[in-house]
Structures are given as structure tokens and as C-alpha cells.
């Protein structure tokens, strides 16, 4: 145990975690890195260049003649997956804090660092990408000293590209990160920090043993769910799974025990023995609750059951995805899905399309609301369509976040204007170094869900980073804004919005929908309404369009091609009454200027 080091890599997104991990694997000859980002093995992760799931891998390294086992846990950097980051961190004794030499400290650098500090990890600060011409290692060093109070000589300069600093990092891991504590003789207590679904083997849960020993074939129990299993196979994580007979305190490993769905395994749960259980679970277990919801509907009504099957399959390896059948007058039968955040939502949508070939319409995302009625009952609503009659409502509460935005002084003005428009409340403003500032805002989550990131990025020309955590519910003056097409309300286009913004929002929705809905054979009236009151109106003029007219009837193959093209273009359309509405229109509210 004294020769084990468990550590993770934390950083703001794109600061080079995965690349640096590749270099460490290479240097310790754990793998031959043939392609970039060895640990990101989902297609989507590779394409987007982001880490979605945490990954763990064991390296062996001989240092001053002694053999060490180094368990590296690569963590996702995006806010949506911060619970996974926090569990990965809980399985480690040390963290490499990576800061991009040209970007400096960013919002997720700080939020991840706080998590690491909360878990008492030894922090090894690293300035990465020192090979870049735009690197400013001195300035970044100042920021790190300011942030961590570390000594300058403790900060390692590195490059995942050239391999600079890699050996120094490995030495620091061995010298500075403490060996895991705990006792082999105590009852088994292993923290589940991640789980993955494998179509052949079922769920593979990753754990770190805090106390005790586990042997293959042991009868084990998951503390919080209370479920009992046989440890059919246990082992360590190399590039592949490597079975072992026994794992002991401090080890990071995996267990396969005939679990079929991710719902049974909760990240953060504790594994113990049935015969000699530990008396309490490892602390900090919480169930992650989805905060962002959207309707997902099949384009073809017959695909409803297929969609259910696809969502069930997705849920096998993504326990944070929730779904419940719902129906919409406009869209028919579908599901209300719950996501951790917007990125998670996009990923699910893309996976449905790619891995399951499901053609779906998704509605505007919204948050969860607490509706207090006049009898004093509380109801959680995940869909603006599910709101009770306004006359029955006493008040509505919506989720708030505590957020942090890091930027340079040049952009403070526009960012403050943006946040004000999003009902943000400035809590404080702190200088990080020279011209860089951290702004603390309290804001409604519902405002972030709708086009916040894109706006922040464009007004700051990319020089702003953002991070948040949930901060409870607050009473808000929210009202339901309805959209009518040719006089018929389209439930899937309803949103909840703050009273003060409702008129403006209604007008902009109508304008945007006019742009997004193609002209058809008849006039289409688009109206925004609050209750029975129409607050805005636009009309799409009729168009008599015969796409094949140009073909003079002669060229049959060309005509067929055009018809196919038109059919394809129709794929993501939904018939509402007699109006054909494209997918884009359901997300119009995200694209308001
Ligand atoms: P992650 O999001 O923290 O995992 O970051 P990645 O490892 O995916 O790196 C983000 C981007 O930075 C990629 O385009 C990398 O090729 C690039 N990158 C990573 N490390 C370095 C480095 O040391 N030097 C340079 N010049 N580029 C790097
Ligand atoms: Mg990565």
C-alpha cells in the first residue's frame, strides 16, 4: 500500500488533461499511444475533444529503484458532469491541477480545485502548454501563487505536446502525494466512483478500496441501495480489464457482478461484505438530480416504442438520464427527459440519432419548478405544459445557481449587461491578477438554460469562462407564454418566463418563428399569448411552391432527385394541425437575438 499513488487530473476544459494523460501513459510504458486521447474512448468524446465519462487507468513506474503503482483518474471538465468529477476526486489522494499557460486560471480551474481541497487532496500545480508562443508562464504562476498560496518552486512547467515536465510530474506524484490510508484488516469499504455499461458484461463498476480486502467470488452489498451481489470478477484497470483474485486497501479496481442496468449502481455508493459489513458508508453520497428537462418526441408516431427502447438502452450507461412518457397535443406521444445540463442534453440527442437512428423532435429545455397552490400543496413541474391554471397558483419557485465568471477587465461591461438581462444579481467582484476578474452572480438556472453560453462566448470573444453550482429554489414572478399557430395553441412551444420579460419574449418568439417556419400553401398566423390575451402576432404569407415545376417534366431522374431532396428536408418536420413545423422552430427560443 505504501507504493500506491492515486491521483486525478483536474483542469478547465481544453487546458490539456487528456493530452497530458497520454504522455504519462506513454512515459510509463503503459500503452503505446498510437492515436491522441487514449482515454476518451467514446466516439463522441473523440469528435468533440471533450471527456464525458471519467476514466481510470493503472500505471507502473520505477522511481529510485522502487516499483510504484500509479492510478490515474481522468475527469470530465464540464459543469454538467461535476458530480462525476467530485466522486473521482474522492477516490484520490492527490490532484494534478493543470492550467493552460496562455489562458491562465479559468472558472472550472477554480471550481474543480475547491472540490479537490474539500477532499484534502495534495495539489500539484502544473502550467501546461508551455511550448506555445502565446504562453505566459510568469503571469500564470502569479495567479496560481495567489490562488493556492503555493511556493513558486512547487509549480511544474510542462507541455503535453512536447513531453516537457512529464518526468518531473511523475516524481512529484510519488514524492508529494501521500500513499492511501486505511487498513486491510478493517471491514470492506470501497467507494464506487464510476460505472460503465458493457453490452457483453453488463455494468462494470469502478471503485477504490478505503478499507479491507475484496476477493473474487465474495458476497458483497452496496450500502446505499442495499442490493446484494456476487463479485463474479474483480480486477485492475489497464487499457483493458485485468482480472485479479484479490484487491486490498488503497487499490483502484473494477467489479463485475451481473448487474444489468446503471440504475442499480449509484456513483458514490459504498461496497461492503455481507458477512462482515462496515458500519457506515463512505460519506458524501448524493443522488444526482436532473435539473434540465425537455420533451423528446418521435417524428413518426409508430416509433414511440422504439424510442422508449433506445432511451432505456442509453440509460444503461447513463444513470443521470431520466425519462417519463408524456403526451403533447401538438407532438403526440413522447417522453419528458431529464438532463444534468445543456451539454448532457445535446449529447443524448446526438446519441439517439447516431447510435439508434432515432429521428426525434426535442422541445425547448426548461428547469424544474415548484408550484405552490392555494391549498398549500407543492408540486414539482418539469414541463410548462403541465402548469395548473394560474388562478389556482399561490406562488412559483424556480432553481437558482451561484455562478462564477472569469474574464478580463475589457469585457466586464458587456458581461454585466448580459447577466442583468438574465436577472442576475452581482454578489462580488474580485481581481485574480492584473487585468483578470472573477464575477460572482446569483442567477435563475432557467435563464442559463436558454442561450447564455453562446452569448457569453460571443460578447467576450471567448475570453470568459463560466461555472456554477445549484443554490436552492426562490420565489419568482413567472408566467406561461403560449404560442398559437393559426389560432391553435402549440403546447410544445410554451415557455415559462419572468413577467417582466414576457412581452418582449413573445414578440421575439413570433419574429423568430416567422423566420423558421417555411412558407406553405396558405397563410399562417403566429401569435404569442398570456392566458387569453394575445400579446404579439406575425403572419407567414402563403406560397404556391412546386419544386418540380422547373424540370419541364422532361428530366425524370432530376425530378426524382428533387423530390427525394424535398422528402429528406421534411424528415425533421412535424405536422401541427395543417402547418408543417421544422425541428428548429421548437428550439426557436434558444435562438432569439
Ligand atoms: P482537455 O479538455 O483538458 O482534456 O484538453 P485536451 O487534452 O483535449 O487538449 C485540448 C487542446 O489543446 C487539444 O487541441 C490539444 O491538442 C491541445 N493541447 C493539449 N496540450 C497541449 C500542449 O502542451 N501544447 C499545445 N501547444 N497544445 C496542447
Ligand atoms: Mg479531455
Amino acid at each position: 500500500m505504501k507504493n500506491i499513488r492515486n491521483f486525478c487530473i483536474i483542469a478547465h476544459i481544453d487546458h490539456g488533461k487528456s493530452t497530458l494523460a497520454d504522455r504519462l501513459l506513454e512515459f510509463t510504458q503503459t500503452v503505446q499511444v498510437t492515436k491522441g486521447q487514449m482515454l476518451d474512448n467514446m466516439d463522441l468524446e473523440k469528435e468533440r475533444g471533450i471527456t464525458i465519462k471519467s476514466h481510470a487507468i493503472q500505471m507502473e513506474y520505477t522511481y529510485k529503484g522502487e516499483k510504484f503503482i500509479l492510478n490515474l483518474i481522468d475527469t470530465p471538465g464540464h459543469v454538467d458532469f461535476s458530480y462525476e468529477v467530485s466522486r473521482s476526486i474522492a477516490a484520490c489522494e492527490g490532484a494534478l491541477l493543470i492550467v493552460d499557460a496562455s489562458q491562465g486560471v479559468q472558472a472550472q480551474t477554480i471550481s474543480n480545485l475547491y472540490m479537490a481541497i474539500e477532499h484534502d487532496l495534495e495539489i500539484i500545480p502544473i502550467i501546461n502548454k508551455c511550448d506555445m508562443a502565446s504562453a505566459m508562464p510568469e503571469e500564470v504562476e502569479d495567479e496560481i501563487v495567489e490562488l493556492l498560496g503555493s511556493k513558486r518552486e512547487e509549480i511544474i512547467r510542462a507541455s503535453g505536446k512536447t513531453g516537457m515536465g512529464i518526468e518531473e510530474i511523475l516524481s512529484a506524484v510519488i514524492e508529494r502525494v501521500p500513499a492511501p490510508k486505511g487498513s486491510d484488516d478493517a471491514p470492506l469499504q470501497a467507494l464506487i466512483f464510476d460505472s460503465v455499461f458493457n453490452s457483453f458484461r453488463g455494468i462494470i463498476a469502478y471503485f477504490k478500496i478505503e478499507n479491507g480486502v475484496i476477493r473474487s467470488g465474495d458476497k458483497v452489498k452496496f450500502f446505499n441501495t442495499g442490493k446484494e451481489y456476487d463479485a463474479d470478477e474483480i480486477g485492475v484497470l489497464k487499457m483493458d480489464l485485468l482480472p485479479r483474485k484479490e484487491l486490498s486497501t488503497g487499490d483502484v479496481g473494477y467489479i463485475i457482478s451481473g448487474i444489468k442496468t446503471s440504475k442499480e449502481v449509484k456513483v458514490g455508493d459504498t461496497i461492503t461484505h455481507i458477512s462482515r459489513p462496515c458500519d457506515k458508508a463512505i460519506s458524501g453520497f448524493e443522488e444526482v438530480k436532473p435539473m434540465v428537462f425537455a420533451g423528446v418526441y418521435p417524428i413518426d408516431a409508430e416509433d414511440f416504442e422504439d424510442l422508449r427502447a433506445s432511451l432505456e438502452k442509453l440509460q444503461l450507461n447513463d444513470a443521470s438520464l431520466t425519462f417519463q412518457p408524456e403526451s403533447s397535443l401538438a407532438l403526440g406521444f413522447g417522453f419528458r427527459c431529464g438532463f444534468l445540463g445543456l451539454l448532457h442534453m445535446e449529447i443524448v440527442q446526438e446519441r439517439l440519432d447516431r447510435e439508434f437512428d432515432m429521428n426525434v423532435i426535442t422541445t425547448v429545455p426548461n428547469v424544474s419548478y415548484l408550484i405552490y397552490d392555494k391549498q398549500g400543496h407543492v408540486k414539482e413541474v418539469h414541463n410548462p405544459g403541465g402548469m395548473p391554471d394560474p388562478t389556482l397558483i399561490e406562488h412559483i419557485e424556480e432553481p437558482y445557481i451561484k455562478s462564477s465568471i472569469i474574464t478580463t477587465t475589457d469585457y466586464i461591461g458587456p458581461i454585466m449587461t448580459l447577466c442583468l438581462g438574465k436577472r442576475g444579481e452581482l454578489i462580488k467582484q474580485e481581481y485574480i491578477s492584473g487585468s483578470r476578474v472573477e464575477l460572482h452572480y446569483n442567477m435563475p438556472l432557467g435563464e442559463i438554460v436558454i442561450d447564455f453560453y453562446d452569448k457569453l462566448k460571443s460578447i467576450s470573444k471567448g475570453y470568459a469562462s463560466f461555472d456554477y453550482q445549484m443554490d436552492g429554489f426562490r420565489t419568482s414572478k413567472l408566467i406561461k407564454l403560449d404560442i398559437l399557430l393559426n389560432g391553435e395553441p402549440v403546447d410544445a412551444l410554451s415557455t415559462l418566463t419572468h413577467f417582466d420579460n414576457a412581452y418582449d419574449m413573445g414578440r421575439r418568439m413570433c419574429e423568430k418563428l416567422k423566420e423558421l417556419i417555411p412558407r406553405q400553401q396558405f397563410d399562417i398566423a403566429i401569435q404569442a399569448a398570456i392566458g387569453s390575451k394575445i400579446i404579439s402576432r406575425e403572419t407567414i404569407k402563403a406560397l404556391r411552391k412546386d419544386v418540380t415545376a422547373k424540370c419541364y417534366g422532361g428530366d425524370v431522374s432530376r425530378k426524382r432527385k428533387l423530390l427525394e431532396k424535398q422528402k429528406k428536408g421534411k424528415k425533421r418536420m412535424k405536422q401541427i394541425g395543417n402547418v408543417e413545423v421544422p425541428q428548429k422552430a421548437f428550439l426557436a427560443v434558444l435562438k432569439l437575438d
Side-chain angles (χ1 to χ4, degrees):
M1 190 167 65
K2 103 179 191 302
N3 284 6
I4 298 176
R5 298 291 181 272
N6 297 317
F7 69 103
C8 56
I9 308 183
I10 53 177
H12 189 74
I13 193 156
D14 277 350
H15 282 198
K17 287 185 302 285
S18 303
T19 310
L20 200 86
D22 283 354
R23 293 291 86 73
L24 294 172
L25 298 180
E26 213 170 44
F27 198 86
T28 55
Q29 295 173 348
T30 308
V31 282
Q32 301 270 304
V33 176
T34 45
K35 45 196 191 309
Q37 318 248 334
M38 294 303 288
L39 296 178
D40 290 347
N41 44 27
M42 268 166 72
D43 276 355
L44 256 172
E45 291 186 318
K46 285 215 190 330
E47 269 167 47
R48 293 184 168 225
I50 53 167
T51 308
I52 297 167
K53 297 289 290 181
S54 294
H55 304 273
I57 189 160
Q58 188 183 86
M59 301 179 275
E60 281 162 29
Y61 187 60
T62 307
Y63 179 70
K64 294 186 176 164
E66 244 184 290
K67 239 174 106 180
F68 284 84
I69 298 280
L70 310 178
N71 291 306
L72 160 64
I73 296 172
D74 186 26
T75 60
H78 193 276
V79 287
D80 285 7
F81 308 102
S82 65
Y83 182 69
E84 295 201 10
V85 181
S86 110
R87 294 298 93 196
S88 303
I89 284 176
C92 298
E93 282 79 35
L96 305 180
L97 177 73
I98 297 190
V99 184
D100 185 319
S102 68
Q103 303 288 316
V105 168
Q106 296 292 343
Q108 276 117 53
T109 315
I110 297 187
S111 59
N112 288 330
L113 172 65
Y114 285 164
M115 277 195 251
I117 290 174
E118 259 172 52
H119 289 281
D120 286 326
L121 301 200
E122 176 65 33
I123 312 282
I124 301 174
I126 294 166
I127 303 178
N128 191 32
K129 304 198 192 181
C130 285
D131 62 283
M132 286 175 74
S134 54
M136 309 175 297
E138 275 80 31
E139 283 87 339
V140 177
E141 202 172 279
D142 289 343
E143 293 186 358
I144 292 175
V145 168
E146 181 69 22
L147 188 66
L148 275 173
S150 19
K151 298 197 190 76
R152 281 175 199 277
E153 56 275 21
E154 290 169 356
I155 303 171
I156 300 172
R157 294 193 185 182
S159 161
K161 191 170 176 188
T162 65
M164 162 189 177
I166 298 300
E167 196 168 359
E168 205 185 331
I169 292 172
L170 287 166
S171 313
V173 167
I174 290 168
E175 299 269 0
R176 298 196 225 162
V177 176
K181 296 182 197 64
S183 152
D184 280 347
D185 303 326
L188 176 66
Q189 217 181 11
L191 171 71
I192 299 176
F193 65 85
D194 198 7
S195 74
V196 294
F197 172 74
N198 179 298
S199 42
F200 300 107
R201 321 225 36 198
I203 293 290
I204 304 170
Y206 297 168
F207 60 78
K208 186 241 183 147
I209 305 182
E210 300 286 343
N211 279 300
V213 175
I214 184 169
R215 294 183 184 84
S216 82
D218 280 356
K219 297 212 175 300
V220 295
K221 179 171 87 171
F222 288 10
F223 208 97
N224 289 292
T225 60
K227 293 242 169 77
E228 300 184 348
Y229 304 97
D230 290 328
D232 297 334
E233 180 180 320
I234 57 166
V236 294
L237 301 147
K238 298 279 183 160
M239 268 328 268
D240 296 307
L241 304 175
L242 205 68
R244 288 281 161 84
K245 285 266 162 287
E246 178 181 299
L247 294 173
S248 50
T249 304
D251 281 333
V252 170
Y254 71 90
I255 177 169
I256 297 174
S257 48
I259 302 172
K260 292 280 176 281
T261 81
S262 66
K263 273 188 280 190
E264 278 182 64
V265 183
K266 307 271 188 216
V267 167
D269 204 349
T270 302
I271 306 174
T272 190
H273 281 126
I274 296 174
S275 56
R276 190 186 162 218
C278 54
D279 52 9
K280 62 177 196 305
I282 297 160
S283 66
F285 176 76
E286 60 177 304
E287 290 221 25
V288 261
K289 269 185 73 179
M291 291 310 292
V292 175
F293 297 83
V296 176
Y297 290 83
I299 305 249
D300 281 323
E302 303 101 78
D303 290 341
F304 177 75
E305 283 306 327
D306 283 348
L307 178 57
R308 184 204 299 277
S310 308
L311 286 168
E312 273 166 4
K313 282 212 187 93
L314 270 184
Q315 207 182 36
L316 288 177
N317 59 6
D318 183 354
S320 44
L321 168 69
T322 63
F323 60 93
Q324 242 181 344
E326 72 169 10
S327 63
S328 146
L329 288 174
L331 298 174
F333 290 100
F335 297 91
R336 175 101 334 207
C337 297
F339 311 97
L340 298 177
L342 276 183
L343 179 71
H344 186 209
M345 176 173 112
E346 265 178 52
I347 288 167
V348 169
Q349 220 171 303
E350 220 167 302
R351 292 184 70 187
L352 278 175
D353 183 35
R354 272 181 206 215
E355 295 167 31
F356 299 94
D357 203 19
M358 288 302 314
N359 222 335
V360 296
I361 293 259
T362 39
T363 65
V364 182
N366 57 266
V367 297
S368 74
Y369 303 96
L370 296 180
I371 315 280
Y372 289 77
D373 68 15
K374 294 198 162 131
Q375 271 76 48
H377 301 300
V378 196
K379 186 173 148 197
E380 196 172 327
V381 171
H382 295 158
N383 181 355
M387 294 277 294
D389 189 287
T391 56
L392 303 173
I393 297 175
E394 215 282 312
H395 73 277
I396 303 178
E397 288 181 2
E398 63 174 333
Y400 261 70
I401 57 167
K402 268 194 180 121
S403 72
S404 142
I405 300 169
I406 296 182
T407 188
T408 55
T409 38
D410 306 349
Y411 303 108
I412 295 181
I415 289 174
M416 286 186 163
T417 310
L418 172 67
C419 292
L420 195 68
K422 296 288 187 186
R423 297 189 277 138
E425 186 189 318
L426 181 64
I427 303 304
K428 69 176 172 199
Q429 181 178 343
E430 290 176 290
Y431 279 83
I432 295 189
S433 72
S435 63
R436 301 216 312 132
V437 184
E438 181 176 14
L439 303 171
H440 297 263
Y441 270 96
N442 285 351
M443 281 194 272
L445 177 66
E447 296 280 355
I448 303 304
V449 160
I450 293 175
D451 80 340
F452 180 79
Y453 288 108
D454 288 349
K455 284 213 169 116
L456 180 66
K457 212 160 141 190
S458 73
I459 59 171
S460 66
K461 305 201 171 65
Y463 288 104
S465 59
F466 176 75
D467 194 56
Y468 69 86
Q469 61 191 80
M470 299 309 305
D471 192 34
F473 282 76
R474 289 199 203 173
T475 303
S476 281
K477 208 168 163 192
L478 297 172
I479 53 168
K480 190 166 145 222
L481 179 70
D482 292 317
I483 299 290
L484 291 74
L485 291 181
N486 280 344
E488 289 297 321
V490 180
D491 53 3
L493 286 172
S494 294
T495 46
L496 271 196
T497 181
H498 193 264
F499 182 80
D500 295 343
N501 301 337
Y503 279 76
D504 185 44
M505 175 113 159
R507 181 182 53 77
R508 292 190 300 157
M509 277 287 282
C510 289
E511 284 170 7
K512 198 71 200 179
L513 286 169
K514 184 178 177 183
E515 242 173 69
L516 293 175
I517 298 176
R519 295 169 74 178
Q520 292 169 32
Q521 319 274 344
F522 42 83
D523 282 2
I524 304 166
I526 305 169
Q527 294 165 306
I530 295 171
S532 57
K533 188 168 167 210
I534 302 295
I535 58 168
S536 189
R537 177 188 167 116
E538 293 283 341
T539 307
I540 303 175
K541 282 282 169 213
L543 170 83
R544 198 160 277 284
K545 185 169 117 194
D546 181 356
V547 288
T548 60
K550 296 193 217 75
C551 299
Y552 310 109
D555 186 342
V556 179
S557 81
R558 178 144 178 251
K559 194 164 174 174
R560 201 174 54 229
K561 261 191 203 141
L562 271 170
L563 282 170
E564 266 164 23
K565 209 165 139 200
Q566 196 192 30
K567 217 162 100 196
K568 239 188 176 156
K570 263 191 190 160
K571 256 173 101 182
R572 291 225 172 212
M573 295 268 202
K574 195 83 192 180
Q575 187 88 19
I576 294 182
N578 53 2
V579 183
E580 289 210 312
V581 182
Q583 154 83 74
K584 294 198 288 263
F586 293 99
L587 300 174
V589 67
L590 299 181
K591 302 276 182 267
L592 301 178
D593 315 303

